[in-house]
Amino acid sequence: MATSSRGCAPAMRLCQRLNRLKTLDDDMMATSLKRCLSTLDLTLLGVGGMVGSGLYVLTGTVAKDMVGPAVIISFLFAGFASLLAAFCYAEFGARIPKTGSAYMFTYVSVGEVWAFLIGWNVILENMIGGAAVARAWSGYLDSIFNHAIKNYTETHIMQWNVPLLAHYPDLLAAGILIVASFFISFGVQVSSYLNHIFSVISMAVIVFILVFGFMLAEPANWSQKEGGFAPFGLSGILAGSATCFYAFVGFDVIASSSEEAKNPQKAVPIATAISLGLAATAYILVSTVLTLMVPWHTLDPNSALSDAFFRRGYSWAGVVVAVGSICAMNTVLLCNLFSLPRIVYAMAEDGLFFSIFARVNPVTKVPVNAILVFGVFMATMALIFDLEALVQFLSIGTLLAYTFVAASIIVLRFQPEKVSSKGTASTSPTPNAEPSLAHSESQTITEDSGELKQYESFSDKLQLVERQKTVERRGAGQLKAFWEPYLGRLLGDCEPGQVAAFCVLTLIVSSVSFCVVLEFGNKQLQLPVWSFAMLLVIFSLAYVVSLALIWVHEPQTNSKTFQVPLVPLTPGASILINVFLMMKLSYLTWIRFTVWIAIGLIVYFGYGIWHSKEGRRELQPQDMAARYVVLPSGSLVETVQSVQPDGHVDTQAHRAKAAATASAVEEHAGNR
């Protein structure tokens, strides 16, 4: 038995290292970056990240090929799905105002290796996204000049016919990325100023499109003669919603910028709500105008808006739309170049990525190395790759990040708040954390009457322990008092937050299983009707029961920052929607995703796990503290235990040490 335990010890230690949580400083506002962004700055960053090339390209593509005029409903559904994810980002961004977005949120709630993989995918997402927008920017400008740039490059520079590579090197796309990286390296205020200019021009063009477009609207284009409002039915609307969902993925730039916000507790939730509302309104109204101006089946997917004005005889208006589209693409480009280096910086600052990227310029207060290096990488991708084959890869990383952030919200909400050394509640989530007792002989607690009372004798300390036990039972992560008579025997002995964490895992597994059966059960798996229905019922029940078990526990309610409403229902619905959309992706996307994850694991196990700051903190000498423990016999003994660093309570080691101490005390008492 002892040999078996010793054999499992290395695996247990490795598991603990992989799942260790990030320790947050007591001063959450402390940063080496510059806090200078206002609520308006964050709002315009969010609008710029969402209202870009998708408004000028995606609307026409979805309307013509997938939905018809009912693209309005598709954008409405997609906006609602994005709102669920945005709520989760807003709570984390306000509660933990640190750069890194989904990476940081996962690190403080779920564990180190999961955080690294999320950050690793977000890096690729931003690189491909920026390169794709740069190529779209170049192609749109090239089309205005009748493809003169493309023809010149293929004739006088070079061209090649290689799979996955572009037919010619897009020097213009690479050049715009290099120039944009250069400007962003001057500081966050310069980036914000450029984003303000392009966003204002883009929004002015959108207002022009709406006003002039509604003047040219013809309701007959929605008539049955032209195919009706929803020619592809409900299935088309849902398929269109899955595509339209990716028009709203840019709002996470707000959470990524929270470490540079002046007042992130208020600015992040407000900016997220306003920017998402403006983006959804813009997409819905522009889709309405577009399908009313010309019949939906005659739209040009590549330049639907400018082509619609041209066909109505207003070619000058098409030029205005082209200017607006280029400015909108610039805002998306800036947001990608703004978010990417900050995520790299956050990972490098934690020791999980190469330390050279953690250096901040003392003058501009931005991670210049990360900006320039990854700007060059992005420009290289835009130069040589045919990104049409990789565009769908963007969605899987985004959806995975959304899923983990939603799960982290539930884990964080139902974990007990630990008390820091200063006596204040810390926002850093610590699973299985126990309230610490003071080092002095006298203990102080607050009576129901509001008065303070000191306990100095052993008998009084015993009463204190019993009182704390009663109070803790109604704390965060504990079973609600109403449900204790019914579920107390089953769940009452579980540690605070343990049931919620297990139910979150069950929630994700049941969501994946349900979506797999729903998406592939009838066709690829060819399941009989009875087994198809039975599996759907089983996984649905598992999903609902998991939500119910989480709900019967007490959540944290004393947070002074924004909190997601209707937890765990809101993040649970977000998890289900994100998983369903992931099942809509092609198998080639999953193959590319698996390869990228494998590369990330090599980087993590080759560098990150050995240089992690949390790992180094665990090796530092630990403080010693005296605690009083109630033994099964009813006696009260004083034990000496090591205090784990904040954010890392090694539960198994903690229990083993306490059990060994108690056993020794009892044996000593028996001998006497």
Side-chain angles (χ1 to χ4, degrees), residues 17 20-23 25 32 103 107 112 345-355 358-359 604 607-620 645-646 648:
R17 294 174 69 181
R20 56 195 170 200
L21 305 181
K22 178 176 174 59
T23 303
D25 298 329
S32 57
Y103 156 76
Y107 202 172
E112 183 173 285
Y345 161 79
M347 296 175 68
E349 179 73 10
D350 292 332
L352 303 186
F353 207 52
F354 305 110
S355 59
R359 298 176 185 172
Y604 175 74
Y607 181 89
I609 195 172
W610 307 107
H611 296 81
S612 170
K613 288 188 176 180
E614 295 302 326
R616 295 178 182 177
R617 184 179 284 109
E618 290 176 350
L619 298 177
Q620 293 176 354
D646 287 347
H648 295 277

mmCIF file of all heavy atoms in Angstrom, residues 17 20-23 25 32 103 107 112 345-355 358-359 604 607-620 645-646 648:
data_model
loop_
_atom_site.group_PDB
_atom_site.id
_atom_site.type_symbol
_atom_site.label_atom_id
_atom_site.label_comp_id
_atom_site.label_asym_id
_atom_site.label_seq_id
_atom_site.Cartn_x
_atom_site.Cartn_y
_atom_site.Cartn_z
ATOM 1 N N ARG A 17 0.846 20.672 -10.038
ATOM 2 C CA ARG A 17 1.567 21.728 -10.746
ATOM 3 C C ARG A 17 0.786 22.218 -11.961
ATOM 4 O O ARG A 17 0.763 23.418 -12.258
ATOM 5 C CB ARG A 17 2.951 21.228 -11.180
ATOM 6 C CG ARG A 17 3.886 20.919 -10.028
ATOM 7 C CD ARG A 17 5.181 20.305 -10.509
ATOM 8 N NE ARG A 17 6.004 21.257 -11.240
ATOM 9 C CZ ARG A 17 7.182 20.954 -11.781
ATOM 10 N NH1 ARG A 17 7.659 19.715 -11.668
ATOM 11 N NH2 ARG A 17 7.870 21.863 -12.431
ATOM 12 N N ARG A 20 -2.265 24.444 -10.660
ATOM 13 C CA ARG A 20 -2.081 25.513 -9.683
ATOM 14 C C ARG A 20 -2.675 26.819 -10.224
ATOM 15 O O ARG A 20 -2.674 27.078 -11.427
ATOM 16 C CB ARG A 20 -0.603 25.691 -9.363
ATOM 17 C CG ARG A 20 0.276 25.958 -10.557
ATOM 18 C CD ARG A 20 1.735 25.767 -10.207
ATOM 19 N NE ARG A 20 2.594 25.795 -11.388
ATOM 20 C CZ ARG A 20 3.813 25.283 -11.430
ATOM 21 N NH1 ARG A 20 4.333 24.706 -10.361
ATOM 22 N NH2 ARG A 20 4.539 25.339 -12.537
ATOM 23 N N LEU A 21 -3.162 27.625 -9.301
ATOM 24 C CA LEU A 21 -3.836 28.867 -9.652
ATOM 25 C C LEU A 21 -2.892 30.044 -9.498
ATOM 26 O O LEU A 21 -1.934 30.003 -8.738
ATOM 27 C CB LEU A 21 -5.068 29.072 -8.769
ATOM 28 C CG LEU A 21 -6.096 27.945 -8.755
ATOM 29 C CD1 LEU A 21 -7.253 28.306 -7.850
ATOM 30 C CD2 LEU A 21 -6.586 27.647 -10.171
ATOM 31 N N LYS A 22 -3.207 31.096 -10.214
ATOM 32 C CA LYS A 22 -2.402 32.311 -10.148
ATOM 33 C C LYS A 22 -2.732 33.080 -8.881
ATOM 34 O O LYS A 22 -3.892 33.242 -8.516
ATOM 35 C CB LYS A 22 -2.655 33.202 -11.359
ATOM 36 C CG LYS A 22 -1.866 34.514 -11.326
ATOM 37 C CD LYS A 22 -2.070 35.319 -12.578
ATOM 38 C CE LYS A 22 -1.400 36.689 -12.464
ATOM 39 N NZ LYS A 22 0.056 36.571 -12.229
ATOM 40 N N THR A 23 -1.695 33.550 -8.213
ATOM 41 C CA THR A 23 -1.859 34.382 -7.031
ATOM 42 C C THR A 23 -1.914 35.839 -7.456
ATOM 43 O O THR A 23 -1.036 36.321 -8.176
ATOM 44 C CB THR A 23 -0.684 34.178 -6.065
ATOM 45 O OG1 THR A 23 -0.604 32.799 -5.720
ATOM 46 C CG2 THR A 23 -0.874 35.012 -4.811
ATOM 47 N N ASP A 25 -2.048 39.947 -6.551
ATOM 48 C CA ASP A 25 -1.572 40.876 -5.530
ATOM 49 C C ASP A 25 -2.752 41.478 -4.776
ATOM 50 O O ASP A 25 -3.875 41.567 -5.291
ATOM 51 C CB ASP A 25 -0.748 41.994 -6.175
ATOM 52 C CG ASP A 25 0.491 41.457 -6.877
ATOM 53 O OD1 ASP A 25 1.020 40.429 -6.403
ATOM 54 O OD2 ASP A 25 0.914 42.054 -7.886
ATOM 55 N N SER A 32 2.677 47.705 -14.177
ATOM 56 C CA SER A 32 3.791 48.388 -14.822
ATOM 57 C C SER A 32 3.347 49.082 -16.097
ATOM 58 O O SER A 32 4.120 49.813 -16.710
ATOM 59 C CB SER A 32 4.902 47.382 -15.148
ATOM 60 O OG SER A 32 4.404 46.338 -15.969
ATOM 61 N N TYR A 103 -7.086 34.279 -20.919
ATOM 62 C CA TYR A 103 -5.944 33.589 -20.310
ATOM 63 C C TYR A 103 -5.879 33.867 -18.812
ATOM 64 O O TYR A 103 -5.767 32.943 -17.990
ATOM 65 C CB TYR A 103 -4.648 34.040 -20.991
ATOM 66 C CG TYR A 103 -3.417 33.869 -20.128
ATOM 67 C CD1 TYR A 103 -2.849 32.618 -19.939
ATOM 68 C CD2 TYR A 103 -2.847 34.964 -19.479
ATOM 69 C CE1 TYR A 103 -1.734 32.458 -19.131
ATOM 70 C CE2 TYR A 103 -1.739 34.816 -18.676
ATOM 71 C CZ TYR A 103 -1.183 33.563 -18.492
ATOM 72 O OH TYR A 103 -0.092 33.403 -17.695
ATOM 73 N N TYR A 107 -6.609 31.349 -15.568
ATOM 74 C CA TYR A 107 -5.479 31.083 -14.668
ATOM 75 C C TYR A 107 -5.891 31.248 -13.204
ATOM 76 O O TYR A 107 -5.458 30.480 -12.330
ATOM 77 C CB TYR A 107 -4.331 32.040 -15.003
ATOM 78 C CG TYR A 107 -2.960 31.572 -14.556
ATOM 79 C CD1 TYR A 107 -1.818 32.267 -14.941
ATOM 80 C CD2 TYR A 107 -2.788 30.443 -13.753
ATOM 81 C CE1 TYR A 107 -0.554 31.847 -14.551
ATOM 82 C CE2 TYR A 107 -1.534 30.021 -13.364
ATOM 83 C CZ TYR A 107 -0.419 30.724 -13.762
ATOM 84 O OH TYR A 107 0.827 30.307 -13.369
ATOM 85 N N GLU A 112 -3.270 26.307 -14.330
ATOM 86 C CA GLU A 112 -2.194 26.858 -15.140
ATOM 87 C C GLU A 112 -2.160 26.312 -16.558
ATOM 88 O O GLU A 112 -2.091 27.068 -17.534
ATOM 89 C CB GLU A 112 -0.855 26.597 -14.457
ATOM 90 C CG GLU A 112 0.342 27.197 -15.162
ATOM 91 C CD GLU A 112 1.610 27.050 -14.347
ATOM 92 O OE1 GLU A 112 1.753 27.809 -13.364
ATOM 93 O OE2 GLU A 112 2.443 26.181 -14.684
ATOM 94 N N TYR A 345 2.383 39.416 -23.344
ATOM 95 C CA TYR A 345 3.020 40.035 -22.175
ATOM 96 C C TYR A 345 2.539 39.392 -20.876
ATOM 97 O O TYR A 345 3.345 39.109 -19.968
ATOM 98 C CB TYR A 345 2.712 41.534 -22.176
ATOM 99 C CG TYR A 345 2.907 42.204 -20.837
ATOM 100 C CD1 TYR A 345 4.172 42.549 -20.372
ATOM 101 C CD2 TYR A 345 1.812 42.491 -20.023
ATOM 102 C CE1 TYR A 345 4.344 43.155 -19.136
ATOM 103 C CE2 TYR A 345 1.975 43.100 -18.791
ATOM 104 C CZ TYR A 345 3.240 43.434 -18.354
ATOM 105 O OH TYR A 345 3.400 44.029 -17.133
ATOM 106 N N ALA A 346 1.223 39.156 -20.761
ATOM 107 C CA ALA A 346 0.680 38.551 -19.543
ATOM 108 C C ALA A 346 1.252 37.157 -19.323
ATOM 109 O O ALA A 346 1.611 36.795 -18.192
ATOM 110 C CB ALA A 346 -0.844 38.493 -19.623
ATOM 111 N N MET A 347 1.363 36.357 -20.388
ATOM 112 C CA MET A 347 1.910 35.012 -20.257
ATOM 113 C C MET A 347 3.393 35.058 -19.904
ATOM 114 O O MET A 347 3.885 34.262 -19.087
ATOM 115 C CB MET A 347 1.674 34.235 -21.551
ATOM 116 C CG MET A 347 0.208 34.014 -21.878
ATOM 117 S SD MET A 347 -0.063 33.220 -23.475
ATOM 118 C CE MET A 347 0.604 31.591 -23.159
ATOM 119 N N ALA A 348 4.125 35.991 -20.526
ATOM 120 C CA ALA A 348 5.554 36.113 -20.228
ATOM 121 C C ALA A 348 5.775 36.644 -18.815
ATOM 122 O O ALA A 348 6.713 36.229 -18.123
ATOM 123 C CB ALA A 348 6.214 37.036 -21.256
ATOM 124 N N GLU A 349 4.915 37.539 -18.366
ATOM 125 C CA GLU A 349 5.022 38.085 -17.014
ATOM 126 C C GLU A 349 4.832 37.001 -15.966
ATOM 127 O O GLU A 349 5.436 37.049 -14.881
ATOM 128 C CB GLU A 349 3.977 39.192 -16.841
ATOM 129 C CG GLU A 349 3.960 39.842 -15.471
ATOM 130 C CD GLU A 349 5.147 40.750 -15.217
ATOM 131 O OE1 GLU A 349 5.913 41.042 -16.168
ATOM 132 O OE2 GLU A 349 5.324 41.159 -14.058
ATOM 133 N N ASP A 350 4.013 36.001 -16.275
ATOM 134 C CA ASP A 350 3.785 34.887 -15.355
ATOM 135 C C ASP A 350 4.836 33.794 -15.490
ATOM 136 O O ASP A 350 4.767 32.787 -14.777
ATOM 137 C CB ASP A 350 2.399 34.285 -15.595
ATOM 138 C CG ASP A 350 1.290 35.237 -15.201
ATOM 139 O OD1 ASP A 350 1.519 36.069 -14.307
ATOM 140 O OD2 ASP A 350 0.192 35.162 -15.785
ATOM 141 N N GLY A 351 5.770 33.958 -16.430
ATOM 142 C CA GLY A 351 6.832 32.973 -16.606
ATOM 143 C C GLY A 351 6.474 31.820 -17.517
ATOM 144 O O GLY A 351 7.296 30.915 -17.715
ATOM 145 N N LEU A 352 5.271 31.824 -18.098
ATOM 146 C CA LEU A 352 4.855 30.713 -18.950
ATOM 147 C C LEU A 352 5.319 30.876 -20.390
ATOM 148 O O LEU A 352 5.241 29.932 -21.173
ATOM 149 C CB LEU A 352 3.324 30.578 -18.927
ATOM 150 C CG LEU A 352 2.687 30.371 -17.550
ATOM 151 C CD1 LEU A 352 1.202 30.112 -17.694
ATOM 152 C CD2 LEU A 352 3.349 29.219 -16.813
ATOM 153 N N PHE A 353 5.758 32.066 -20.759
ATOM 154 C CA PHE A 353 6.259 32.319 -22.109
ATOM 155 C C PHE A 353 7.599 33.038 -21.965
ATOM 156 O O PHE A 353 7.991 33.445 -20.875
ATOM 157 C CB PHE A 353 5.238 33.148 -22.895
ATOM 158 C CG PHE A 353 5.300 32.939 -24.382
ATOM 159 C CD1 PHE A 353 5.256 31.662 -24.916
ATOM 160 C CD2 PHE A 353 5.395 34.004 -25.259
ATOM 161 C CE1 PHE A 353 5.307 31.454 -26.287
ATOM 162 C CE2 PHE A 353 5.447 33.811 -26.628
ATOM 163 C CZ PHE A 353 5.405 32.541 -27.141
ATOM 164 N N PHE A 354 8.320 33.182 -23.048
ATOM 165 C CA PHE A 354 9.687 33.696 -23.019
ATOM 166 C C PHE A 354 9.740 35.087 -22.383
ATOM 167 O O PHE A 354 8.980 35.987 -22.743
ATOM 168 C CB PHE A 354 10.263 33.708 -24.425
ATOM 169 C CG PHE A 354 10.193 32.363 -25.099
ATOM 170 C CD1 PHE A 354 9.336 32.142 -26.153
ATOM 171 C CD2 PHE A 354 10.962 31.305 -24.643
ATOM 172 C CE1 PHE A 354 9.253 30.898 -26.764
ATOM 173 C CE2 PHE A 354 10.889 30.057 -25.239
ATOM 174 C CZ PHE A 354 10.033 29.852 -26.299
ATOM 175 N N SER A 355 10.675 35.252 -21.451
ATOM 176 C CA SER A 355 10.711 36.443 -20.604
ATOM 177 C C SER A 355 11.000 37.720 -21.376
ATOM 178 O O SER A 355 10.696 38.816 -20.890
ATOM 179 C CB SER A 355 11.766 36.266 -19.510
ATOM 180 O OG SER A 355 13.057 36.052 -20.093
ATOM 181 N N ALA A 358 8.128 40.061 -21.687
ATOM 182 C CA ALA A 358 7.568 40.687 -20.483
ATOM 183 C C ALA A 358 8.158 42.068 -20.227
ATOM 184 O O ALA A 358 7.730 42.753 -19.294
ATOM 185 C CB ALA A 358 7.808 39.792 -19.266
ATOM 186 N N ARG A 359 9.092 42.482 -21.041
ATOM 187 C CA ARG A 359 9.733 43.778 -20.834
ATOM 188 C C ARG A 359 8.828 44.901 -21.333
ATOM 189 O O ARG A 359 8.280 44.839 -22.430
ATOM 190 C CB ARG A 359 11.075 43.824 -21.565
ATOM 191 C CG ARG A 359 12.077 42.793 -21.051
ATOM 192 C CD ARG A 359 13.358 42.801 -21.865
ATOM 193 N NE ARG A 359 14.263 41.730 -21.437
ATOM 194 C CZ ARG A 359 15.387 41.414 -22.070
ATOM 195 N NH1 ARG A 359 15.758 42.100 -23.153
ATOM 196 N NH2 ARG A 359 16.137 40.427 -21.622
ATOM 197 N N TYR A 604 4.871 24.574 -23.453
ATOM 198 C CA TYR A 604 4.591 24.638 -22.017
ATOM 199 C C TYR A 604 5.493 23.698 -21.223
ATOM 200 O O TYR A 604 6.114 24.109 -20.234
ATOM 201 C CB TYR A 604 3.124 24.308 -21.753
ATOM 202 C CG TYR A 604 2.789 24.232 -20.281
ATOM 203 C CD1 TYR A 604 2.692 25.393 -19.513
ATOM 204 C CD2 TYR A 604 2.598 23.004 -19.654
ATOM 205 C CE1 TYR A 604 2.413 25.330 -18.157
ATOM 206 C CE2 TYR A 604 2.309 22.932 -18.294
ATOM 207 C CZ TYR A 604 2.219 24.097 -17.558
ATOM 208 O OH TYR A 604 1.943 24.030 -16.218
ATOM 209 N N TYR A 607 9.227 24.831 -21.558
ATOM 210 C CA TYR A 607 9.653 26.108 -20.973
ATOM 211 C C TYR A 607 8.752 26.571 -19.834
ATOM 212 O O TYR A 607 9.219 26.832 -18.722
ATOM 213 C CB TYR A 607 9.688 27.189 -22.066
ATOM 214 C CG TYR A 607 10.141 28.532 -21.568
ATOM 215 C CD1 TYR A 607 11.491 28.872 -21.553
ATOM 216 C CD2 TYR A 607 9.230 29.475 -21.098
ATOM 217 C CE1 TYR A 607 11.923 30.105 -21.080
ATOM 218 C CE2 TYR A 607 9.644 30.714 -20.616
ATOM 219 C CZ TYR A 607 10.989 31.023 -20.619
ATOM 220 O OH TYR A 607 11.408 32.234 -20.144
ATOM 221 N N GLY A 608 7.450 26.663 -20.100
ATOM 222 C CA GLY A 608 6.539 27.313 -19.165
ATOM 223 C C GLY A 608 6.493 26.694 -17.786
ATOM 224 O O GLY A 608 6.566 27.409 -16.771
ATOM 225 N N ILE A 609 6.381 25.385 -17.706
ATOM 226 C CA ILE A 609 6.220 24.729 -16.402
ATOM 227 C C ILE A 609 7.468 24.893 -15.535
ATOM 228 O O ILE A 609 7.383 24.871 -14.307
ATOM 229 C CB ILE A 609 5.874 23.235 -16.602
ATOM 230 C CG1 ILE A 609 5.355 22.629 -15.292
ATOM 231 C CG2 ILE A 609 7.083 22.460 -17.106
ATOM 232 C CD1 ILE A 609 4.822 21.217 -15.464
ATOM 233 N N TRP A 610 8.629 25.092 -16.165
ATOM 234 C CA TRP A 610 9.884 25.223 -15.414
ATOM 235 C C TRP A 610 10.152 26.663 -14.989
ATOM 236 O O TRP A 610 10.942 26.900 -14.076
ATOM 237 C CB TRP A 610 11.054 24.713 -16.254
ATOM 238 C CG TRP A 610 10.838 23.329 -16.767
ATOM 239 C CD1 TRP A 610 10.563 22.956 -18.053
ATOM 240 C CD2 TRP A 610 10.844 22.121 -16.002
ATOM 241 N NE1 TRP A 610 10.400 21.607 -18.141
ATOM 242 C CE2 TRP A 610 10.571 21.054 -16.897
ATOM 243 C CE3 TRP A 610 11.064 21.830 -14.654
ATOM 244 C CZ2 TRP A 610 10.501 19.731 -16.476
ATOM 245 C CZ3 TRP A 610 10.997 20.521 -14.235
ATOM 246 C CH2 TRP A 610 10.723 19.489 -15.141
ATOM 247 N N HIS A 611 9.538 27.632 -15.677
ATOM 248 C CA HIS A 611 9.795 29.038 -15.376
ATOM 249 C C HIS A 611 8.576 29.733 -14.765
ATOM 250 O O HIS A 611 8.587 30.957 -14.603
ATOM 251 C CB HIS A 611 10.216 29.787 -16.642
ATOM 252 C CG HIS A 611 11.514 29.320 -17.221
ATOM 253 N ND1 HIS A 611 11.617 28.194 -18.013
ATOM 254 C CD2 HIS A 611 12.779 29.813 -17.111
ATOM 255 C CE1 HIS A 611 12.882 28.024 -18.378
ATOM 256 N NE2 HIS A 611 13.607 28.981 -17.841
ATOM 257 N N SER A 612 7.546 28.980 -14.455
ATOM 258 C CA SER A 612 6.334 29.567 -13.889
ATOM 259 C C SER A 612 6.630 30.264 -12.561
ATOM 260 O O SER A 612 7.271 29.706 -11.681
ATOM 261 C CB SER A 612 5.278 28.476 -13.677
ATOM 262 O OG SER A 612 4.190 28.968 -12.938
ATOM 263 N N LYS A 613 6.153 31.490 -12.423
ATOM 264 C CA LYS A 613 6.357 32.218 -11.170
ATOM 265 C C LYS A 613 5.589 31.577 -10.024
ATOM 266 O O LYS A 613 6.024 31.644 -8.872
ATOM 267 C CB LYS A 613 5.934 33.680 -11.345
ATOM 268 C CG LYS A 613 6.890 34.489 -12.199
ATOM 269 C CD LYS A 613 6.535 35.959 -12.188
ATOM 270 C CE LYS A 613 7.568 36.762 -12.987
ATOM 271 N NZ LYS A 613 7.241 38.208 -12.997
ATOM 272 N N GLU A 614 4.459 30.975 -10.340
ATOM 273 C CA GLU A 614 3.715 30.286 -9.295
ATOM 274 C C GLU A 614 4.505 29.073 -8.796
ATOM 275 O O GLU A 614 4.476 28.753 -7.604
ATOM 276 C CB GLU A 614 2.343 29.849 -9.806
ATOM 277 C CG GLU A 614 1.422 30.995 -10.160
ATOM 278 C CD GLU A 614 1.181 31.935 -8.987
ATOM 279 O OE1 GLU A 614 1.151 31.447 -7.845
ATOM 280 O OE2 GLU A 614 1.033 33.140 -9.217
ATOM 281 N N GLY A 615 5.194 28.403 -9.705
ATOM 282 C CA GLY A 615 6.036 27.285 -9.294
ATOM 283 C C GLY A 615 7.181 27.733 -8.404
ATOM 284 O O GLY A 615 7.536 27.066 -7.424
ATOM 285 N N ARG A 616 7.783 28.878 -8.733
ATOM 286 C CA ARG A 616 8.867 29.396 -7.897
ATOM 287 C C ARG A 616 8.341 29.827 -6.533
ATOM 288 O O ARG A 616 9.026 29.668 -5.518
ATOM 289 C CB ARG A 616 9.527 30.581 -8.602
ATOM 290 C CG ARG A 616 10.234 30.205 -9.900
ATOM 291 C CD ARG A 616 10.823 31.429 -10.572
ATOM 292 N NE ARG A 616 11.473 31.091 -11.835
ATOM 293 C CZ ARG A 616 12.010 31.972 -12.657
ATOM 294 N NH1 ARG A 616 11.978 33.260 -12.350
ATOM 295 N NH2 ARG A 616 12.571 31.587 -13.789
ATOM 296 N N ARG A 617 7.133 30.380 -6.506
ATOM 297 C CA ARG A 617 6.564 30.811 -5.240
ATOM 298 C C ARG A 617 6.331 29.624 -4.311
ATOM 299 O O ARG A 617 6.472 29.721 -3.094
ATOM 300 C CB ARG A 617 5.257 31.562 -5.488
ATOM 301 C CG ARG A 617 4.625 32.135 -4.224
ATOM 302 C CD ARG A 617 3.349 32.895 -4.522
ATOM 303 N NE ARG A 617 3.644 34.201 -5.086
ATOM 304 C CZ ARG A 617 3.431 34.533 -6.352
ATOM 305 N NH1 ARG A 617 2.934 33.655 -7.192
ATOM 306 N NH2 ARG A 617 3.715 35.740 -6.790
ATOM 307 N N GLU A 618 5.975 28.472 -4.897
ATOM 308 C CA GLU A 618 5.755 27.279 -4.086
ATOM 309 C C GLU A 618 7.034 26.788 -3.424
ATOM 310 O O GLU A 618 7.004 26.135 -2.377
ATOM 311 C CB GLU A 618 5.162 26.160 -4.955
ATOM 312 C CG GLU A 618 3.733 26.422 -5.399
ATOM 313 C CD GLU A 618 3.230 25.338 -6.327
ATOM 314 O OE1 GLU A 618 4.061 24.509 -6.757
ATOM 315 O OE2 GLU A 618 2.030 25.327 -6.627
ATOM 316 N N LEU A 619 8.191 27.088 -4.034
ATOM 317 C CA LEU A 619 9.467 26.631 -3.497
ATOM 318 C C LEU A 619 10.020 27.548 -2.421
ATOM 319 O O LEU A 619 11.007 27.215 -1.766
ATOM 320 C CB LEU A 619 10.495 26.511 -4.635
ATOM 321 C CG LEU A 619 10.143 25.506 -5.737
ATOM 322 C CD1 LEU A 619 11.206 25.545 -6.835
ATOM 323 C CD2 LEU A 619 10.017 24.104 -5.172
ATOM 324 N N GLN A 620 9.399 28.725 -2.250
ATOM 325 C CA GLN A 620 9.884 29.665 -1.251
ATOM 326 C C GLN A 620 9.556 29.149 0.151
ATOM 327 O O GLN A 620 8.589 28.407 0.344
ATOM 328 C CB GLN A 620 9.247 31.040 -1.462
ATOM 329 C CG GLN A 620 9.700 31.700 -2.760
ATOM 330 C CD GLN A 620 8.982 33.024 -2.994
ATOM 331 O OE1 GLN A 620 8.074 33.385 -2.256
ATOM 332 N NE2 GLN A 620 9.401 33.736 -4.017
ATOM 333 N N PRO A 645 1.059 29.783 0.252
ATOM 334 C CA PRO A 645 0.931 31.120 -0.318
ATOM 335 C C PRO A 645 -0.499 31.363 -0.748
ATOM 336 O O PRO A 645 -1.224 30.442 -1.084
ATOM 337 C CB PRO A 645 1.880 31.079 -1.537
ATOM 338 C CG PRO A 645 2.804 29.945 -1.262
ATOM 339 C CD PRO A 645 2.035 28.964 -0.449
ATOM 340 N N ASP A 646 -0.899 32.644 -0.766
ATOM 341 C CA ASP A 646 -2.259 32.994 -1.169
ATOM 342 C C ASP A 646 -2.548 32.459 -2.550
ATOM 343 O O ASP A 646 -1.780 32.632 -3.476
ATOM 344 C CB ASP A 646 -2.433 34.525 -1.190
ATOM 345 C CG ASP A 646 -2.494 35.081 0.215
ATOM 346 O OD1 ASP A 646 -2.643 34.264 1.135
ATOM 347 O OD2 ASP A 646 -2.394 36.308 0.376
ATOM 348 N N HIS A 648 -2.988 29.322 -3.276
ATOM 349 C CA HIS A 648 -2.552 27.946 -3.476
ATOM 350 C C HIS A 648 -2.674 27.184 -2.172
ATOM 351 O O HIS A 648 -1.762 27.193 -1.343
ATOM 352 C CB HIS A 648 -1.102 27.890 -3.959
ATOM 353 C CG HIS A 648 -0.929 28.488 -5.309
ATOM 354 N ND1 HIS A 648 -1.181 27.806 -6.473
ATOM 355 C CD2 HIS A 648 -0.569 29.727 -5.677
ATOM 356 C CE1 HIS A 648 -0.961 28.592 -7.494
ATOM 357 N NE2 HIS A 648 -0.595 29.758 -7.041
#
